[in-house]
Amino acid sequence: MSELEDKIAQARQEIEKASNIVVLTGAGISAESGVPTFRGQEGLWQNFRPEELATPDAFWNDPKLVWEWYDWRRNAVKDAKPNPGHYALAELESSVPHLTLVTQNIDGLHQMAGSTNITEMHGNIWQIRCTKCGEIEQNFQVPLPELPPKCKKCGELGRPNVVWFGEMIGMDLIDKILRAIEECQVMLIIGTSGIVEPAASMGLVAKQTNKTVIEINLDETPSAGLYDIVIREKSGEVLPVLFTSNPNRVLS
Ligand code: APR
């Protein structure tokens, strides 16, 4: 067996033994759906400055500019469809007793693929949150008719319901994720560069509580040396082989 087939066989075994799995995904799982990653070669941060577009200061400094950028990103994502990686995770959810899917992605593709137990750490690009009353509106209009959009409830300024650099993720959400890691046997980390906190530390938390950690990511990541199985292949090609119901399926 090649080294890769060996790793896949090991990973399959760990997953089949587990009754409780936590999955953490990042932009890499949506790359094969045509959604740009952040730090890859064509990544968003190669062409845009996060401090000008993805911080609270940037927003209050120029809400229209920030919304023009999110309107552009919504347009870039609107026709994206889930890829075999998303669908394989949805299938896994239906075949194990308990699966928690934690995503840093704001594109909504996991929901579209049929996953249900999803925790969106960084929000959702299809939601507008009122800066005054906090009302959250699900909105799929592309382009948005008015930039910046106003709250449908109180008329105040709306902002993208996403987490920006320099903003905290709610403690209740963090607690929920840490509890899920504590209760799982296997953690899968897929398509994330592993440098943005708090997501970047979750694999370490899993190792500190003796869970099996499996990473699927094209590029090297800072914590990979601590993980049990590391696969440097495209998630859309590996995940269908790892845990769909066809054991004879091989990596193309
Ligand atoms: N399959 C597997 N991995 C892939 C694929 C693929 N098809 N394509 C790219 N990757 C990997 C890259 O090697 C890279 O390490 O996905 C990773 C994506 O890393 P980032 O672009 O840094 O995205 P992510 O880790 O999700 O970013 C975290 O940073 O900018 C903020 O809020 C934003 O949620 C985002 C957070």
Side-chain angles (χ1 to χ4, degrees), residues 26-28 31-32 37-40 45 104-105 122 165 191-194 196 216-219 233-235:
E32 291 154 83
T37 65
F38 293 92
R39 293 167 191 84
W45 300 146
Q104 299 168 84
N105 300 346
H122 296 163
F165 291 104
T192 179
S193 54
V196 175
I216 297 159
N217 201 66
L218 279 180
D219 294 310
E233 297 285 336
K234 288 186 174 180
S235 51

Side-chain angles (χ1 to χ4, degrees), residues 114-170:
S115 288
T116 55
N117 186 11
I118 302 171
T119 299
E120 293 179 306
M121 290 182 71
H122 296 163
N124 189 305
I125 202 166
W126 302 114
Q127 294 171 347
I128 299 172
R129 187 171 86 233
C130 178
T131 56
K132 186 146 183 289
C133 74
E135 175 80 0
I136 293 176
E137 176 205 352
Q138 194 79 18
N139 180 306
F140 293 95
Q141 292 172 292
V142 176
L144 283 162
E146 180 194 15
L147 289 181
K150 301 288 184 309
C151 173
K152 296 272 184 301
K153 197 169 163 200
C154 75
E156 277 294 328
L157 180 60
R159 59 161 283 173
N161 187 31
V162 299
V163 177
W164 283 323
F165 291 104
E167 290 187 317
M168 297 290 287
I169 292 174

Side-chain angles (χ1 to χ4, degrees), residues 27-28 31 34-50 69 72-73 219:
V35 179
T37 65
F38 293 92
R39 293 167 191 84
Q41 253 161 11
E42 303 301 313
L44 287 170
W45 300 146
Q46 306 296 342
N47 308 311
F48 300 98
R49 296 160 54 83
W69 188 59
W72 173 83
R73 287 184 64 188
D219 294 310

